[in-house]
Amino acid sequence: SLQSGFFTLRLVCAFVLVAFGVSLAFISYAANPPAGTITPTSSAAVTWTGTADGVPPNTGGVDACDSTEGHGCDSYTLTISGNPADWTGKQVQVQIGWGLPRTYYDLYVQKNGATVASSASGGTTIEQVDLNPSSPSIGTGVFVVRVVYFVPNPADQYQGAASVKVAGAPP
């Protein structure tokens, strides 16, 4: 009788833990995978896929992303490693692309909550920004790539990539 009580208690606890874990999967709407790291010597791009439900944010665009994550916005955490000096002559290109011209996403890159780069030009199937980690205004560290589902299509999710490129000549 005592053993069956412990078995029942363990069974109930296991069910509750599994149910909790499944519920976390439904409320976490980060890109897939949710994060990646790029180094000055990376030869391959880090890539991810959008996972939001495709509902545009009600108002606010990127400013509404914290409250609408997964329902109009999607986030990918990009770590740019190394020291700024390691990035001399190099930059990080962040790009999202999708298939249908009638689908439209906006791209924002933020560091410490401030937008450091953005691309929001309609009528294309890509958005792209270049980050110069050797610049004091960009630097290295943790960035959040925010994608706003401006005119979404859940069947046409964006694909994201961050790669190391040779920096262009300064203006």
Side-chain angles (χ1 to χ4, degrees), residues 39-41 86-92 131-134 164-167:
T39 69
T41 59
D86 299 336
W87 286 91
T88 301
K90 299 176 184 178
Q91 59 189 7
V92 176
L131 305 172
N132 183 353
S134 64
V164 177
K165 301 290 181 191
V166 174

Side-chain angles (χ1 to χ4, degrees), residues 10-24:
R10 287 191 307 209
L11 185 61
V12 168
C13 287
F15 177 77
V16 168
L17 289 173
V18 168
F20 179 71
V22 169
S23 69
L24 287 178

Side-chain angles (χ1 to χ4, degrees), residues 50-143:
T51 61
D53 62 11
V55 176
N58 293 332
T59 59
V62 73
D63 295 331
C65 284
D66 286 332
S67 62
T68 62
E69 180 77 22
H71 299 291
C73 296
D74 203 16
S75 297
Y76 177 79
T77 302
L78 175 65
T79 301
I80 299 176
S81 70
N83 296 312
D86 299 336
W87 286 91
T88 301
K90 299 176 184 178
Q91 59 189 7
V92 176
Q93 185 176 80
V94 179
Q95 182 179 49
I96 60 170
W98 56 95
L100 302 172
R102 66 181 175 266
T103 304
Y104 177 47
Y105 301 102
D106 288 337
L107 171 66
Y108 297 87
V109 179
Q110 298 178 323
K111 183 176 183 184
N112 299 324
T115 299
V116 296
S118 66
S119 178
S121 54
T124 67
T125 57
I126 65 165
E127 297 290 350
Q128 176 181 304
V129 297
D130 294 325
L131 305 172
N132 183 353
S134 64
S135 167
S137 62
I138 302 294
T140 58
V142 178
F143 295 79

